[in-house]
Amino acid sequence: MVECDNDLEGLNRQHALRAHQVHYSYLDKGNEAAISSGQAAVKNLFLMHGGALIAMLTFTSGILTNNASTVRADSLVDPMMRFAFGLALAAAASAGTYLTNYCYLAGAHNQTLVWNHPYLEKGRASKVWEGFGVALHVATVSLAFASLILFVCGFLGVKEALVAAYDAAQIEDTSGASTESAERPVSVPVVAGGDVGTEASAIAPSITEEP
């Protein structure tokens, strides 16, 4: 009976060790996926803001060299600044990603290995490093979201500038057409071989006088 209990205990221990290994393997793979996803997200923010800023600089230089453009260059300054600040925040988020991983690794490195369960003890230094890692993690995610919000705000600013330029062009075209029609001279037909009186009587409407 005692041997049977020992066998069951040993079997349970093997199952528990296997389950623990699967659990820790899942945590390791999840940690690697989270790190790679964060790096990819920051890289996408770099590409978005950098591409938008380059396009805005090219577009603005074209406006300044083309005097006939209805888009005001000063209306594009605010969107360009938003893209620039978003790029700076993306750079800060990239640095925050590195610092976060460093703090987590430093916290794990300062843990003490023991022979009893859970076989690891967290000392004061380990807890301090983990606290820094958590704070930097939250700050990095906040910087990434702020960078994304600035990109959306910059895009909306560009949209407003282009819509205002389009409305101004439509008003200018309408006023130019009305002015041209008002200043157009009226041509009076000339009757060949006739005098002024005959010509005027032919053009002017007939007026009947009532007694």
Side-chain angles (χ1 to χ4, degrees):
M1 188 66 178
V2 176
E3 293 180 357
C4 183
D5 293 337
N6 292 332
D7 292 339
L8 289 176
E9 184 178 356
L11 185 61
N12 290 331
R13 185 182 295 273
Q14 292 179 1
H15 286 301
L17 290 174
R18 189 178 297 111
H20 294 168
Q21 291 176 356
V22 172
H23 176 68
Y24 287 120
S25 176
Y26 173 77
L27 290 178
D28 292 337
K29 292 181 180 179
N31 188 30
E32 293 177 359
I35 293 173
S36 61
S37 299
Q39 292 175 350
V42 173
K43 185 182 295 183
N44 290 334
L45 289 174
F46 266 110
L47 294 176
M48 290 165 56
H49 285 285
L53 192 57
I54 292 173
M56 289 294 297
L57 290 173
T58 305
F59 184 60
T60 306
S61 64
I63 292 173
L64 294 175
T65 55
N66 185 12
N67 295 326
S69 178
T70 57
V71 181
R72 295 180 54 185
D74 56 352
S75 63
L76 301 176
V77 174
D78 288 339
M80 289 174 60
M81 294 301 297
R82 291 172 188 148
F83 291 138
F85 281 122
L87 188 62
L89 290 179
S94 178
T97 302
Y98 166 75
L99 293 175
T100 300
N101 295 328
Y102 179 82
C103 290
Y104 283 147
L105 289 176
H109 178 72
N110 283 277
Q111 291 180 355
T112 304
L113 303 178
V114 294
W115 296 104
N116 297 323
H117 185 78
Y119 310 110
L120 293 172
E121 288 184 358
K122 295 182 180 181
R124 183 175 180 275
S126 177
K127 293 179 180 180
V128 170
W129 279 112
E130 287 186 0
F132 281 131
V134 172
L136 288 171
H137 196 169
V138 174
T140 302
V141 173
S142 301
L143 289 173
F145 274 110
S147 178
L148 183 60
I149 292 172
L150 283 176
F151 179 81
V152 175
C153 292
F155 182 80
L156 293 177
V158 174
K159 176 186 174 183
E160 292 178 358
L162 294 179
V163 169
Y166 178 78
D167 294 338
Q170 293 295 322
I171 295 173
E172 184 178 353
D173 292 341
T174 304
S175 61
S178 61
T179 304
E180 182 180 357
S181 62
E183 295 178 355
R184 183 180 300 169
V186 179
S187 60
V188 179
V190 179
V191 180
D195 55 2
V196 178
T198 306
E199 182 180 344
S201 62
I203 297 173
S206 61
I207 302 174
T208 59
E209 296 181 358
E210 296 181 359

